[in-house]
Amino acid sequence: MFRVTRHPILPTPTRTEIPFFWGGRELRAQSGETISAALFANGVRIFGHHPKDGAAQGIFCANGQCSQCLVLAEGVPVKSCMELLRPGLHIEPVEGLPALPGVNAAEELSPLFKDIEEVRVPVLIIGGGPAGLSAAIELGKLGVEALIVDDKHRLGGKLVLQTHRFFGSIEAVYAGTRGIDIATRLESDVRSFPSLRVWLQAAALAVYSDRKVGVLLEGRRYLLVAPEVLLVAAGAREKNLAFPGNTLPGVYGAGAFQTLVNRDLIKPTGRLFIVGGGNVGLIAGYHALQAGISVIGLVEVMPECGGYKVHRDKLARLGVPIYTSHTVLSANGTERVESVTVARVDERFRPVAGTERSYACDTLLIAVGLDPVSEFYEKAREFGLKAFAAGDAEEIAEASAAIFSGKIRGLEIARALGVDVGEISQEWWRTAEVLKSKPGKTVPEIVPSAESGVFPVLHCNQEIPCDPCTAVCPNELIQIGETDIRMLPAFLANKNGKGCSGCERCVAICPGLAITMVDYRKDPEFPTVAIPLEFLKETLQVGDRVTVEDTEGQALGRVEVSSVKAIKANDRTVIVKVRAPKEYAKKIAGIRLQPESESDPLERYVERTDDDSIVCRCERVTAGEIRKIIRAGSRDINEIKALTRTSMGSCGAKTCTPLIHRLFREEGVPESEIVDQPKRPLFLEVPLGVFAGLGGEKKKGSGDE
Ligand code: FES
């Protein structure tokens, strides 16, 4: 019941069942899944309790960054979101402080070490996501040797979580293809080049002053990689938000949620609420609906959602209320999320008293932006190692931009190694800039005046880089400005004597599901409207009466479904046809699937007064404690650290540092006055013995090495 058993886009293969033990109880999992996925599949959300205040602990990032998901596997603390389950594994929750392991005096006094292997490579790429793979492919084409290390157990990075079709340019970055399929293509290209090597479950730990990179393979084998050039394509980590209840199990980063649902095929929630209206939050909401999860609402603090309008509109049309100029006040519950309280904000983003409302939900998704994972790049530069960064590790943007920046970095790296790659064309630089651009202006939608024949209606009224609709029309009737794919598409009724044949290819390929086809040929009073849908075909049946909506989700009327077509050529996009009165047929852009009643607020709002917002999750330090120190005059994060233990926990200050900076800002302290803590060259926690090769078969200094 906690698994996604059918999905409109993703295959749901049956895998071998394996047994494992949780707190002594035998449970079943599927082979190849992480410990956290196996626990979630068995309904386990709480992985232990914090030693400081007994707060329940569970996952937050599912990406190896926050360390909230620690469990004891055969007595050893491991991040359950990164560790694959082994058959028969005994796992225990972390309750309070774990006891130190017993000491076997004979072994401990003469531990066994092995030599640390050193590997020399022309190019080391940290990160096997869109940027890293694209760079590797360019290097592969030129025969340059490169090693890709990635801490996950498959390549593709965040692409493997994306079920939707990509925006951007068909020619440059596979626009119109689903993210998961782009991952497969890039991986097979990488595997086809003999000069490229891949290490999976290989975590880069640090860049050292001798310009070597420490890599931990499968959590056990430690190696030093000495590259001539380093490419950091390690992506981004999610920003956190401080509010009461922010660490309750059930409060996840958006990436964690997508990992559970789309990679692990786990259904971690029945009722989801989202904070953040950027592309990440909007897409995560869409993915939740595709997996059969109700999305109760989304709050965005700004007056408009920051993500693409087509993503926002898709969600609104499916029936998800979007509350702009709203913020989250608290997540409520004792051991896990039971409800969320939100409120409207004024022009200075302060909650407006009297506007509080609570909604019952079991999961709160935080999608408030990303920070580049840039520490490897910064250290490499500091130590004089030739280094490049690409994708989100360089600048946060869409995955299509990461693909293209990776291609450019691949050529730049080859050139840095002395390979003659000529000049990188101006056109490439321009494409890179276009793909990175933020959504442009929104214009009023133009409804075509025609009321005969058949033609597409383009419900696309915001400038974003996207062109798949122009490439699929066999008669070239959809056009975008010659020079800039950010311009809005326009439909020509006729070109070279040919008009629209009603082939519906544009309807099926639009990544924003923003094209419908209106056909007056059979009945001019009740034309047929073809609407794209990325849900299981059985979701709607011929004869069903449905609510149809305009672009932004306003109901237009109730009409009958006349056909539901799922053909292979449409690549899992279902085309639903309805017959609608001509008065509003051209305005129809979507069908509501989620009933309005799902989103009713609770009768009274839930006020949470029992705790403060947590800033440091690992050491459970509150915003109140830190504010007090700032108000007493401190400007030095090292001082805050010494007084409260903030940022001394196992995540290595990755989740709390941006929040501490935010507290300074809120207290009116300029960034220039803040003294940051030093960044030392170890970015992931590992047992110390790893660096000495502990666990080898030969005794160091025994003379037989
Ligand atoms: S949830 Fe596993 S490290 Fe964050």
PDB file of all heavy atoms in Angstrom, residues 394-427:
ATOM      1  N   GLU A 394      27.462  25.324 -10.927  1.00  0.00           N
ATOM      2  CA  GLU A 394      27.969  26.615 -11.383  1.00  0.00           C
ATOM      3  C   GLU A 394      26.918  27.709 -11.194  1.00  0.00           C
ATOM      4  O   GLU A 394      27.200  28.771 -10.653  1.00  0.00           O
ATOM      5  CB  GLU A 394      28.339  26.512 -12.876  1.00  0.00           C
ATOM      6  CG  GLU A 394      28.884  27.791 -13.461  1.00  0.00           C
ATOM      7  CD  GLU A 394      28.956  27.735 -14.990  1.00  0.00           C
ATOM      8  OE1 GLU A 394      28.280  26.902 -15.606  1.00  0.00           O
ATOM      9  OE2 GLU A 394      29.696  28.555 -15.543  1.00  0.00           O
ATOM     10  N   GLU A 395      25.700  27.409 -11.628  1.00  0.00           N
ATOM     11  CA  GLU A 395      24.622  28.399 -11.556  1.00  0.00           C
ATOM     12  C   GLU A 395      23.292  27.660 -11.603  1.00  0.00           C
ATOM     13  O   GLU A 395      23.089  26.801 -12.468  1.00  0.00           O
ATOM     14  CB  GLU A 395      24.737  29.342 -12.778  1.00  0.00           C
ATOM     15  CG  GLU A 395      23.744  30.451 -12.768  1.00  0.00           C
ATOM     16  CD  GLU A 395      23.874  31.348 -14.006  1.00  0.00           C
ATOM     17  OE1 GLU A 395      24.887  31.262 -14.719  1.00  0.00           O
ATOM     18  OE2 GLU A 395      22.922  32.112 -14.244  1.00  0.00           O
ATOM     19  N   ILE A 396      22.410  27.997 -10.669  1.00  0.00           N
ATOM     20  CA  ILE A 396      21.122  27.289 -10.617  1.00  0.00           C
ATOM     21  C   ILE A 396      20.266  27.672 -11.829  1.00  0.00           C
ATOM     22  O   ILE A 396      20.002  28.843 -12.079  1.00  0.00           O
ATOM     23  CB  ILE A 396      20.354  27.641  -9.317  1.00  0.00           C
ATOM     24  CG1 ILE A 396      21.199  27.354  -8.074  1.00  0.00           C
ATOM     25  CG2 ILE A 396      19.003  26.934  -9.258  1.00  0.00           C
ATOM     26  CD1 ILE A 396      21.548  25.929  -7.813  1.00  0.00           C
ATOM     27  N   ALA A 397      19.875  26.665 -12.595  1.00  0.00           N
ATOM     28  CA  ALA A 397      19.014  26.902 -13.769  1.00  0.00           C
ATOM     29  C   ALA A 397      18.329  25.587 -14.109  1.00  0.00           C
ATOM     30  O   ALA A 397      18.471  24.595 -13.391  1.00  0.00           O
ATOM     31  CB  ALA A 397      19.838  27.415 -14.948  1.00  0.00           C
ATOM     32  N   GLU A 398      17.603  25.572 -15.214  1.00  0.00           N
ATOM     33  CA  GLU A 398      16.903  24.359 -15.629  1.00  0.00           C
ATOM     34  C   GLU A 398      17.894  23.272 -16.062  1.00  0.00           C
ATOM     35  O   GLU A 398      19.021  23.578 -16.464  1.00  0.00           O
ATOM     36  CB  GLU A 398      15.986  24.682 -16.808  1.00  0.00           C
ATOM     37  CG  GLU A 398      14.805  25.531 -16.437  1.00  0.00           C
ATOM     38  CD  GLU A 398      13.928  24.867 -15.398  1.00  0.00           C
ATOM     39  OE1 GLU A 398      13.338  23.819 -15.686  1.00  0.00           O
ATOM     40  OE2 GLU A 398      13.841  25.396 -14.272  1.00  0.00           O
ATOM     41  N   ALA A 399      17.442  22.003 -16.022  1.00  0.00           N
ATOM     42  CA  ALA A 399      18.325  20.901 -16.416  1.00  0.00           C
ATOM     43  C   ALA A 399      18.740  21.020 -17.877  1.00  0.00           C
ATOM     44  O   ALA A 399      19.832  20.589 -18.260  1.00  0.00           O
ATOM     45  CB  ALA A 399      17.631  19.566 -16.167  1.00  0.00           C
ATOM     46  N   SER A 400      17.883  21.631 -18.706  1.00  0.00           N
ATOM     47  CA  SER A 400      18.260  21.793 -20.121  1.00  0.00           C
ATOM     48  C   SER A 400      19.493  22.699 -20.216  1.00  0.00           C
ATOM     49  O   SER A 400      20.392  22.456 -21.026  1.00  0.00           O
ATOM     50  CB  SER A 400      17.100  22.379 -20.923  1.00  0.00           C
ATOM     51  OG  SER A 400      16.590  23.519 -20.274  1.00  0.00           O
ATOM     52  N   ALA A 401      19.539  23.726 -19.355  1.00  0.00           N
ATOM     53  CA  ALA A 401      20.710  24.614 -19.351  1.00  0.00           C
ATOM     54  C   ALA A 401      21.936  23.848 -18.858  1.00  0.00           C
ATOM     55  O   ALA A 401      23.060  24.057 -19.343  1.00  0.00           O
ATOM     56  CB  ALA A 401      20.449  25.818 -18.453  1.00  0.00           C
ATOM     57  N   ALA A 402      21.733  22.931 -17.904  1.00  0.00           N
ATOM     58  CA  ALA A 402      22.860  22.140 -17.387  1.00  0.00           C
ATOM     59  C   ALA A 402      23.433  21.249 -18.481  1.00  0.00           C
ATOM     60  O   ALA A 402      24.650  21.090 -18.603  1.00  0.00           O
ATOM     61  CB  ALA A 402      22.397  21.291 -16.199  1.00  0.00           C
ATOM     62  N   ILE A 403      22.550  20.676 -19.301  1.00  0.00           N
ATOM     63  CA  ILE A 403      23.022  19.814 -20.399  1.00  0.00           C
ATOM     64  C   ILE A 403      23.937  20.632 -21.310  1.00  0.00           C
ATOM     65  O   ILE A 403      25.030  20.203 -21.678  1.00  0.00           O
ATOM     66  CB  ILE A 403      21.819  19.252 -21.208  1.00  0.00           C
ATOM     67  CG1 ILE A 403      21.004  18.298 -20.338  1.00  0.00           C
ATOM     68  CG2 ILE A 403      22.288  18.565 -22.489  1.00  0.00           C
ATOM     69  CD1 ILE A 403      19.716  17.808 -20.986  1.00  0.00           C
ATOM     70  N   PHE A 404      23.499  21.835 -21.617  1.00  0.00           N
ATOM     71  CA  PHE A 404      24.266  22.632 -22.572  1.00  0.00           C
ATOM     72  C   PHE A 404      25.550  23.186 -21.961  1.00  0.00           C
ATOM     73  O   PHE A 404      26.600  23.198 -22.606  1.00  0.00           O
ATOM     74  CB  PHE A 404      23.401  23.751 -23.161  1.00  0.00           C
ATOM     75  CG  PHE A 404      23.813  24.072 -24.552  1.00  0.00           C
ATOM     76  CD1 PHE A 404      23.467  23.234 -25.597  1.00  0.00           C
ATOM     77  CD2 PHE A 404      24.600  25.174 -24.819  1.00  0.00           C
ATOM     78  CE1 PHE A 404      23.887  23.502 -26.891  1.00  0.00           C
ATOM     79  CE2 PHE A 404      25.021  25.449 -26.105  1.00  0.00           C
ATOM     80  CZ  PHE A 404      24.662  24.620 -27.141  1.00  0.00           C
ATOM     81  N   SER A 405      25.468  23.598 -20.680  1.00  0.00           N
ATOM     82  CA  SER A 405      26.702  24.118 -20.069  1.00  0.00           C
ATOM     83  C   SER A 405      27.720  22.984 -19.951  1.00  0.00           C
ATOM     84  O   SER A 405      28.921  23.189 -20.084  1.00  0.00           O
ATOM     85  CB  SER A 405      26.423  24.801 -18.725  1.00  0.00           C
ATOM     86  OG  SER A 405      26.223  23.863 -17.701  1.00  0.00           O
ATOM     87  N   GLY A 406      27.234  21.754 -19.726  1.00  0.00           N
ATOM     88  CA  GLY A 406      28.144  20.602 -19.680  1.00  0.00           C
ATOM     89  C   GLY A 406      28.857  20.408 -21.011  1.00  0.00           C
ATOM     90  O   GLY A 406      30.069  20.158 -21.054  1.00  0.00           O
ATOM     91  N   LYS A 407      28.120  20.545 -22.107  1.00  0.00           N
ATOM     92  CA  LYS A 407      28.736  20.376 -23.438  1.00  0.00           C
ATOM     93  C   LYS A 407      29.873  21.386 -23.621  1.00  0.00           C
ATOM     94  O   LYS A 407      30.972  21.046 -24.076  1.00  0.00           O
ATOM     95  CB  LYS A 407      27.677  20.635 -24.528  1.00  0.00           C
ATOM     96  CG  LYS A 407      26.777  19.457 -24.783  1.00  0.00           C
ATOM     97  CD  LYS A 407      25.549  19.846 -25.566  1.00  0.00           C
ATOM     98  CE  LYS A 407      25.778  19.874 -27.054  1.00  0.00           C
ATOM     99  NZ  LYS A 407      24.602  19.464 -27.825  1.00  0.00           N
ATOM    100  N   ILE A 408      29.592  22.626 -23.249  1.00  0.00           N
ATOM    101  CA  ILE A 408      30.611  23.667 -23.425  1.00  0.00           C
ATOM    102  C   ILE A 408      31.824  23.376 -22.538  1.00  0.00           C
ATOM    103  O   ILE A 408      32.975  23.466 -22.981  1.00  0.00           O
ATOM    104  CB  ILE A 408      30.017  25.059 -23.122  1.00  0.00           C
ATOM    105  CG1 ILE A 408      28.977  25.401 -24.186  1.00  0.00           C
ATOM    106  CG2 ILE A 408      31.096  26.129 -23.048  1.00  0.00           C
ATOM    107  CD1 ILE A 408      28.304  26.747 -24.032  1.00  0.00           C
ATOM    108  N   ARG A 409      31.557  22.993 -21.263  1.00  0.00           N
ATOM    109  CA  ARG A 409      32.687  22.696 -20.366  1.00  0.00           C
ATOM    110  C   ARG A 409      33.514  21.539 -20.905  1.00  0.00           C
ATOM    111  O   ARG A 409      34.730  21.516 -20.782  1.00  0.00           O
ATOM    112  CB  ARG A 409      32.196  22.314 -18.968  1.00  0.00           C
ATOM    113  CG  ARG A 409      31.838  23.356 -17.976  1.00  0.00           C
ATOM    114  CD  ARG A 409      32.591  24.642 -17.984  1.00  0.00           C
ATOM    115  NE  ARG A 409      31.658  25.655 -17.596  1.00  0.00           N
ATOM    116  CZ  ARG A 409      31.020  26.477 -18.429  1.00  0.00           C
ATOM    117  NH1 ARG A 409      31.296  26.462 -19.714  1.00  0.00           N
ATOM    118  NH2 ARG A 409      30.144  27.353 -17.996  1.00  0.00           N
ATOM    119  N   GLY A 410      32.865  20.550 -21.518  1.00  0.00           N
ATOM    120  CA  GLY A 410      33.594  19.415 -22.086  1.00  0.00           C
ATOM    121  C   GLY A 410      34.629  19.900 -23.084  1.00  0.00           C
ATOM    122  O   GLY A 410      35.803  19.494 -23.056  1.00  0.00           O
ATOM    123  N   LEU A 411      34.227  20.815 -23.958  1.00  0.00           N
ATOM    124  CA  LEU A 411      35.165  21.348 -24.960  1.00  0.00           C
ATOM    125  C   LEU A 411      36.250  22.188 -24.290  1.00  0.00           C
ATOM    126  O   LEU A 411      37.431  22.116 -24.653  1.00  0.00           O
ATOM    127  CB  LEU A 411      34.415  22.192 -25.991  1.00  0.00           C
ATOM    128  CG  LEU A 411      33.472  21.435 -26.920  1.00  0.00           C
ATOM    129  CD1 LEU A 411      32.927  22.359 -27.996  1.00  0.00           C
ATOM    130  CD2 LEU A 411      34.170  20.245 -27.584  1.00  0.00           C
ATOM    131  N   GLU A 412      35.863  22.975 -23.300  1.00  0.00           N
ATOM    132  CA  GLU A 412      36.861  23.821 -22.626  1.00  0.00           C
ATOM    133  C   GLU A 412      37.912  22.955 -21.915  1.00  0.00           C
ATOM    134  O   GLU A 412      39.101  23.285 -21.905  1.00  0.00           O
ATOM    135  CB  GLU A 412      36.174  24.735 -21.612  1.00  0.00           C
ATOM    136  CG  GLU A 412      35.382  25.844 -22.277  1.00  0.00           C
ATOM    137  CD  GLU A 412      34.717  26.766 -21.271  1.00  0.00           C
ATOM    138  OE1 GLU A 412      34.288  26.283 -20.209  1.00  0.00           O
ATOM    139  OE2 GLU A 412      34.619  27.956 -21.551  1.00  0.00           O
ATOM    140  N   ILE A 413      37.447  21.848 -21.338  1.00  0.00           N
ATOM    141  CA  ILE A 413      38.392  20.967 -20.646  1.00  0.00           C
ATOM    142  C   ILE A 413      39.351  20.335 -21.653  1.00  0.00           C
ATOM    143  O   ILE A 413      40.564  20.262 -21.427  1.00  0.00           O
ATOM    144  CB  ILE A 413      37.623  19.887 -19.850  1.00  0.00           C
ATOM    145  CG1 ILE A 413      36.904  20.541 -18.674  1.00  0.00           C
ATOM    146  CG2 ILE A 413      38.549  18.776 -19.369  1.00  0.00           C
ATOM    147  CD1 ILE A 413      35.891  19.658 -17.995  1.00  0.00           C
ATOM    148  N   ALA A 414      38.791  19.887 -22.775  1.00  0.00           N
ATOM    149  CA  ALA A 414      39.652  19.292 -23.808  1.00  0.00           C
ATOM    150  C   ALA A 414      40.711  20.300 -24.237  1.00  0.00           C
ATOM    151  O   ALA A 414      41.894  19.972 -24.375  1.00  0.00           O
ATOM    152  CB  ALA A 414      38.802  18.855 -24.994  1.00  0.00           C
ATOM    153  N   ARG A 415      40.272  21.542 -24.401  1.00  0.00           N
ATOM    154  CA  ARG A 415      41.231  22.577 -24.814  1.00  0.00           C
ATOM    155  C   ARG A 415      42.285  22.784 -23.733  1.00  0.00           C
ATOM    156  O   ARG A 415      43.470  22.921 -24.020  1.00  0.00           O
ATOM    157  CB  ARG A 415      40.496  23.884 -25.095  1.00  0.00           C
ATOM    158  CG  ARG A 415      41.420  24.935 -25.662  1.00  0.00           C
ATOM    159  CD  ARG A 415      40.690  25.995 -26.421  1.00  0.00           C
ATOM    160  NE  ARG A 415      39.698  26.625 -25.570  1.00  0.00           N
ATOM    161  CZ  ARG A 415      38.678  27.335 -26.027  1.00  0.00           C
ATOM    162  NH1 ARG A 415      38.507  27.486 -27.307  1.00  0.00           N
ATOM    163  NH2 ARG A 415      37.835  27.879 -25.214  1.00  0.00           N
ATOM    164  N   ALA A 416      41.854  22.758 -22.463  1.00  0.00           N
ATOM    165  CA  ALA A 416      42.813  22.942 -21.362  1.00  0.00           C
ATOM    166  C   ALA A 416      43.848  21.818 -21.338  1.00  0.00           C
ATOM    167  O   ALA A 416      44.954  21.984 -20.826  1.00  0.00           O
ATOM    168  CB  ALA A 416      42.065  22.994 -20.032  1.00  0.00           C
ATOM    169  N   LEU A 417      43.485  20.663 -21.915  1.00  0.00           N
ATOM    170  CA  LEU A 417      44.426  19.534 -21.963  1.00  0.00           C
ATOM    171  C   LEU A 417      45.254  19.558 -23.246  1.00  0.00           C
ATOM    172  O   LEU A 417      46.002  18.623 -23.528  1.00  0.00           O
ATOM    173  CB  LEU A 417      43.652  18.217 -21.883  1.00  0.00           C
ATOM    174  CG  LEU A 417      43.043  17.892 -20.516  1.00  0.00           C
ATOM    175  CD1 LEU A 417      42.037  16.765 -20.636  1.00  0.00           C
ATOM    176  CD2 LEU A 417      44.131  17.521 -19.512  1.00  0.00           C
ATOM    177  N   GLY A 418      45.062  20.594 -24.052  1.00  0.00           N
ATOM    178  CA  GLY A 418      45.889  20.734 -25.253  1.00  0.00           C
ATOM    179  C   GLY A 418      45.267  20.158 -26.505  1.00  0.00           C
ATOM    180  O   GLY A 418      45.913  20.076 -27.547  1.00  0.00           O
ATOM    181  N   VAL A 419      44.008  19.723 -26.420  1.00  0.00           N
ATOM    182  CA  VAL A 419      43.351  19.183 -27.619  1.00  0.00           C
ATOM    183  C   VAL A 419      42.853  20.364 -28.452  1.00  0.00           C
ATOM    184  O   VAL A 419      42.286  21.315 -27.906  1.00  0.00           O
ATOM    185  CB  VAL A 419      42.154  18.283 -27.219  1.00  0.00           C
ATOM    186  CG1 VAL A 419      41.455  17.716 -28.450  1.00  0.00           C
ATOM    187  CG2 VAL A 419      42.609  17.167 -26.289  1.00  0.00           C
ATOM    188  N   ASP A 420      43.055  20.267 -29.762  1.00  0.00           N
ATOM    189  CA  ASP A 420      42.610  21.361 -30.628  1.00  0.00           C
ATOM    190  C   ASP A 420      41.109  21.213 -30.887  1.00  0.00           C
ATOM    191  O   ASP A 420      40.677  20.347 -31.630  1.00  0.00           O
ATOM    192  CB  ASP A 420      43.403  21.312 -31.945  1.00  0.00           C
ATOM    193  CG  ASP A 420      42.986  22.458 -32.865  1.00  0.00           C
ATOM    194  OD1 ASP A 420      42.240  23.346 -32.403  1.00  0.00           O
ATOM    195  OD2 ASP A 420      43.397  22.447 -34.037  1.00  0.00           O
ATOM    196  N   VAL A 421      40.336  22.058 -30.251  1.00  0.00           N
ATOM    197  CA  VAL A 421      38.878  21.987 -30.458  1.00  0.00           C
ATOM    198  C   VAL A 421      38.375  23.197 -31.247  1.00  0.00           C
ATOM    199  O   VAL A 421      37.169  23.366 -31.426  1.00  0.00           O
ATOM    200  CB  VAL A 421      38.115  21.885 -29.111  1.00  0.00           C
ATOM    201  CG1 VAL A 421      38.426  20.594 -28.404  1.00  0.00           C
ATOM    202  CG2 VAL A 421      38.414  23.071 -28.199  1.00  0.00           C
ATOM    203  N   GLY A 422      39.287  24.028 -31.673  1.00  0.00           N
ATOM    204  CA  GLY A 422      38.895  25.239 -32.403  1.00  0.00           C
ATOM    205  C   GLY A 422      38.155  26.195 -31.481  1.00  0.00           C
ATOM    206  O   GLY A 422      38.160  26.037 -30.262  1.00  0.00           O
ATOM    207  N   GLU A 423      37.496  27.157 -32.093  1.00  0.00           N
ATOM    208  CA  GLU A 423      36.718  28.136 -31.304  1.00  0.00           C
ATOM    209  C   GLU A 423      35.353  27.556 -30.971  1.00  0.00           C
ATOM    210  O   GLU A 423      34.736  26.908 -31.807  1.00  0.00           O
ATOM    211  CB  GLU A 423      36.523  29.407 -32.129  1.00  0.00           C
ATOM    212  CG  GLU A 423      37.682  30.390 -32.041  1.00  0.00           C
ATOM    213  CD  GLU A 423      38.026  30.777 -30.612  1.00  0.00           C
ATOM    214  OE1 GLU A 423      37.140  31.274 -29.898  1.00  0.00           O
ATOM    215  OE2 GLU A 423      39.191  30.559 -30.202  1.00  0.00           O
ATOM    216  N   ILE A 424      34.897  27.781 -29.756  1.00  0.00           N
ATOM    217  CA  ILE A 424      33.525  27.377 -29.430  1.00  0.00           C
ATOM    218  C   ILE A 424      32.609  28.429 -30.055  1.00  0.00           C
ATOM    219  O   ILE A 424      32.793  29.628 -29.828  1.00  0.00           O
ATOM    220  CB  ILE A 424      33.320  27.283 -27.912  1.00  0.00           C
ATOM    221  CG1 ILE A 424      34.267  26.212 -27.338  1.00  0.00           C
ATOM    222  CG2 ILE A 424      31.864  26.970 -27.567  1.00  0.00           C
ATOM    223  CD1 ILE A 424      34.335  26.158 -25.846  1.00  0.00           C
ATOM    224  N   SER A 425      31.635  27.956 -30.845  1.00  0.00           N
ATOM    225  CA  SER A 425      30.881  28.924 -31.655  1.00  0.00           C
ATOM    226  C   SER A 425      30.071  29.885 -30.788  1.00  0.00           C
ATOM    227  O   SER A 425      29.583  29.529 -29.715  1.00  0.00           O
ATOM    228  CB  SER A 425      29.969  28.183 -32.638  1.00  0.00           C
ATOM    229  OG  SER A 425      28.709  28.029 -32.085  1.00  0.00           O
ATOM    230  N   GLN A 426      29.942  31.092 -31.312  1.00  0.00           N
ATOM    231  CA  GLN A 426      29.154  32.132 -30.627  1.00  0.00           C
ATOM    232  C   GLN A 426      27.724  31.654 -30.408  1.00  0.00           C
ATOM    233  O   GLN A 426      27.090  31.968 -29.408  1.00  0.00           O
ATOM    234  CB  GLN A 426      29.134  33.417 -31.484  1.00  0.00           C
ATOM    235  CG  GLN A 426      30.414  34.226 -31.402  1.00  0.00           C
ATOM    236  CD  GLN A 426      30.834  34.523 -29.963  1.00  0.00           C
ATOM    237  OE1 GLN A 426      30.039  34.985 -29.163  1.00  0.00           O
ATOM    238  NE2 GLN A 426      32.081  34.224 -29.622  1.00  0.00           N
ATOM    239  N   GLU A 427      27.266  30.866 -31.380  1.00  0.00           N
ATOM    240  CA  GLU A 427      25.899  30.350 -31.297  1.00  0.00           C
ATOM    241  C   GLU A 427      25.727  29.491 -30.046  1.00  0.00           C
ATOM    242  O   GLU A 427      24.700  29.543 -29.378  1.00  0.00           O
ATOM    243  CB  GLU A 427      25.627  29.527 -32.569  1.00  0.00           C
ATOM    244  CG  GLU A 427      24.180  29.305 -32.893  1.00  0.00           C
ATOM    245  CD  GLU A 427      23.297  30.538 -32.690  1.00  0.00           C
ATOM    246  OE1 GLU A 427      23.657  31.670 -33.103  1.00  0.00           O
ATOM    247  OE2 GLU A 427      22.253  30.359 -32.069  1.00  0.00           O
TER     248      GLU A 427
END
